[in-house]
Amino acid sequence: MEFIVEDATFVTMAPAGRAESMLVRDGRIAAIGPAAAVRAAAEPGAAVVRLDGATVIPGLIDAHCHVLNIGYLAAGADCSQPAAPDIAAVQTRLREAADRTPARSWVTGSGYVEYKLAEHRHPTRADLDEAVPDRPAVVYHTSLHACVLNSAALREAGFADGQPDPPDGVLGRDGQGRLTGVLFEGPMFRVFADRLRHDLADMDAAARGRVVRRAGQRLAALGITAACDADMRCQTLAAYAEADDAGVLAQRIYGLTVHDEVDELIRSGLQGRRSGRLAAQAVKIWADGGMSSRTAAIYGTYPVPPFGSGILYFTPAELTAMVRDFAARGLQVCIHAQGDRAIEIVLDAYAQTLAQAPANPRRHRIEHGGAMYPALTTRAARLRIPVVSQPGFLSGLGDGFAEAFGDQADQLYAFRSWQQAGITVAGSSDAPVITPDPLTGIRDAILRRTAAGQVIGPDERLAARDALALYTVGGSYVMHRETEIGSLEPGKLADFTVLDRNPLSVGPEQITGIQVLATVVDGTPTYRTGSIAFPET
């Protein structure tokens, strides 16, 4: 099948970027350029899709999110702000969720940020007990680096008053030392992984497919054609494989398998590129905690709760050994590192691992890199380490960052400095931490404005084209697919997004008001409005 796309503005993100028309043939871009040349390359009678002046850009790429978690958590209570402005609203939403949650399952909510709640604190087990007194309930912090359990959930998960904090996390306590129900880092991760594993196992293939489709449909409506799932587990990979076999994957999924499941991944035979839509070629390691949970490992001490200097998951020697082992197995290593203390340790591990391969051929990555200050930026550039970061954090969570980092806040998420140093930077959302909308990230990379109106790092603002590059050419590079996606060029896959306006020509404040008219993968729409008609396959 082939068709011509014309009567549109094309933003190709390619070096020779001007085009008037594009020919799609058998899922690839066969020609793009002057209208006459494209028509000459087409077969007689080729269908024509006229876009009435809309803008065509390369398919948008979210290089670090949690795709299946988006679909999974969407079934629970939305406890985000401003939807739930205070703890009473969180309780109401949990009660409503309890009414629709199967009896064997925990009641689940997600999305809260304690410093956005009216009470300016985490909910507690007592708050959750009031809402859900007779069965386990959990509410996940938007960072997914903390959560709150009610008393029934604490018991079922094996937590009890008087037990010590584990090495990789913190248990919240009241003034008498009793557990408040708040869990930070390692304990939270284990609760989430256990619940996800249990709930997926409790579903049949059709129900798992609905979780995958729910997430895929949401991303497709935002113009996203490819995504790196940064929390891939063997069970979730199996769910993706079922969806892939059924032909319902709406994005190209590139899996970052959680480090402690790599052996199982290799045994499963699912490692590598399974199809054009599904690959598991990378490993995910957490070096430290989160910025919004104030658990990222920093030098110095946070001036806000829970205070301290953050959490490191591994010693330098342990982390280096892990990186070397995974790299030797041919995996791309992707390490979550937010605080400057953690980033330094990660760069040390990469430096030792890359001593014999200085070009970083596997493109080992830093995920987030929030506090990658100038000296660390220089080191990352020298090692050729790409960074996958989240501009949308600035509007979604930036006021909390400013509170936690004070005078250093202007050096956080230094996209312009990173690019000027020669670092490849890819954009992402970390959804469901924040909205997966890439237009929000593009706007925030340009404006760097928080919800309260503060500009964090005004010297780090990007030009519009550089901001769009984060979600196109940058994203394709970090997932090893720059020869196939990320720009509109002959021979590349026909992954593109149709917008009602050009993000490079409107004011930055208007970018989030741009409408996605269609999202196309392999030349086939995964999302479209009624105003656009594509030929039937």
Side-chain angles (χ1 to χ4, degrees):
M1 184 192 71
E2 71 176 43
F3 59 89
I4 298 169
V5 180
E6 61 181 36
D7 190 17
T9 297
F10 290 88
V11 179
T12 68
M13 300 306 289
R18 186 165 178 78
E20 300 172 326
S21 184
M22 181 171 70
L23 173 64
V24 173
R25 178 183 295 140
D26 297 332
R28 290 186 178 268
I29 299 170
I32 183 167
V38 170
R39 282 185 171 269
E43 296 292 333
V48 177
V49 178
R50 293 184 175 87
L51 296 181
D52 195 26
T55 296
V56 178
I57 64 173
L60 294 167
I61 300 168
D62 190 321
H64 178 119
C65 63
H66 306 272
V67 180
L68 192 132
N69 295 355
I70 293 170
Y72 171 67
L73 292 175
D78 177 7
C79 298
S80 63
Q81 289 66 63
D86 52 30
I87 289 173
V90 170
Q91 292 172 317
T92 297
R93 287 173 174 258
L94 286 174
R95 292 187 188 101
E96 293 169 350
D99 291 339
R100 63 177 186 268
T101 301
R104 293 177 56 194
S105 297
W106 287 24
V107 178
T108 299
S110 64
Y112 85 92
V113 181
E114 78 282 7
Y115 52 80
K116 290 187 175 184
L117 287 167
E119 296 84 356
H120 216 70
R121 67 169 175 84
H122 293 274
T124 65
R125 68 192 290 182
D127 296 324
L128 269 61
D129 286 346
E130 287 183 22
V132 187
D134 55 351
R135 57 193 293 198
V138 58
V139 180
Y140 297 105
H141 191 273
T142 194
S143 66
L144 290 180
H145 282 258
C147 67
V148 189
L149 305 185
N150 71 351
S151 295
L154 284 169
R155 287 193 298 271
E156 186 166 321
F159 295 103
D161 294 328
Q163 73 181 90
D165 289 346
D168 61 351
V170 174
L171 308 179
R173 304 175 196 277
D174 62 21
Q176 289 72 50
R178 184 171 180 263
L179 296 182
T180 63
V182 184
L183 312 179
F184 294 96
E185 299 303 328
M188 195 293 312
F189 286 143
R190 287 187 282 277
V191 166
F192 184 84
D194 286 347
R195 299 320 310 160
L196 180 63
R197 186 181 302 112
H198 172 275
D199 291 343
L200 286 179
D202 220 29
M203 299 175 187
D204 59 20
R208 288 189 294 270
R210 286 192 292 273
V211 172
V212 175
R213 284 196 298 274
R214 185 161 57 226
Q217 288 166 357
R218 184 179 182 197
L219 297 184
L222 297 171
I224 296 171
T225 59
C228 297
D229 191 314
D231 192 19
M232 184 80 85
R233 300 173 188 276
C234 291
Q235 194 175 27
T236 58
L237 178 57
Y240 284 130
E242 290 174 337
D244 190 27
D245 288 341
V248 296
L249 274 185
Q251 286 79 35
R252 303 188 192 281
I253 302 296
Y254 185 83
L256 281 54
T257 302
V258 176
H259 64 89
D260 58 4
E261 296 201 15
V262 166
D263 289 340
E264 184 180 347
L265 171 73
I266 293 172
R267 287 195 299 268
S268 73
L270 291 174
Q271 182 189 5
R273 185 180 293 193
R274 185 179 188 276
S275 72
R277 297 279 178 105
L278 182 60
Q281 298 171 288
V283 58
K284 167 75 174 294
I285 304 172
W286 278 266
D288 69 341
M291 296 275 277
S292 57
S293 55
R294 286 77 180 270
T295 52
I298 62 170
Y299 287 107
T301 303
Y302 287 103
V304 291
F307 305 106
S309 300
I311 291 173
L312 283 172
Y313 278 85
F314 304 101
T315 67
E318 289 171 335
L319 186 64
T320 300
M322 292 173 67
V323 172
R324 283 177 163 167
D325 174 55
F326 292 133
R329 293 201 239 179
L331 291 161
Q332 179 186 21
V333 181
C334 308
I335 306 181
H336 166 117
Q338 281 280 36
D340 55 337
R341 188 160 56 105
I343 294 169
E344 182 174 64
I345 291 170
V346 169
L347 291 174
D348 288 343
Y350 280 150
Q352 294 182 58
T353 302
L354 294 172
Q356 304 304 316
N360 189 17
R362 287 303 309 156
R363 301 176 190 174
H364 303 311
R365 305 169 14 177
I366 286 177
E367 309 299 302
H368 311 300
M372 196 165 80
Y373 300 139
L376 298 170
T377 295
T378 300
R379 286 195 67 197
R382 188 182 307 125
L383 291 167
R384 300 180 66 174
I385 304 297
V387 179
V388 180
S389 201
Q390 298 76 34
F393 279 3
L394 294 168
S395 65
L397 302 167
D399 290 308
F401 297 163
E403 183 182 41
F405 284 84
D407 293 342
Q408 292 180 298
D410 280 345
Q411 297 183 73
L412 300 176
Y413 299 100
F415 307 125
R416 187 165 183 265
S417 292
W418 296 349
Q419 287 187 343
Q420 288 180 331
I423 294 171
T424 296
V425 186
S428 62
S429 67
D430 204 17
V433 173
I434 60 168
T435 173
D437 186 1
L439 294 175
T440 296
I442 292 167
R443 179 202 64 188
D444 287 0
I446 299 168
L447 293 177
R448 298 185 64 88
R449 193 165 59 203
T450 72
Q454 178 179 352
V455 176
I456 292 180
D459 293 339
E460 297 297 341
R461 289 179 286 203
L462 294 181
R465 186 177 181 86
D466 291 334
L468 179 59
L470 301 178
Y471 294 88
T472 53
V473 293
S476 67
Y477 177 85
V478 299
M479 58 190 293
H480 291 274
R481 299 200 75 163
E482 74 277 11
T483 62
E484 299 173 289
I485 58 176
S487 61
L488 303 178
E489 300 180 75
K492 287 195 170 185
L493 296 166
D495 292 7
F496 58 92
T497 300
V498 182
L499 307 174
D500 72 343
R501 283 169 289 165
N502 185 350
L504 304 189
S505 61
V506 302
E509 295 87 351
Q510 298 176 290
I511 289 175
T512 52
I514 292 173
Q515 298 298 306
V516 175
L517 302 179
T519 305
V520 178
V521 178
D522 286 327
T524 300
T526 55
Y527 169 84
R528 66 181 179 89
T529 62
S531 61
I532 297 179
F534 285 89
E536 297 294 327
T537 56

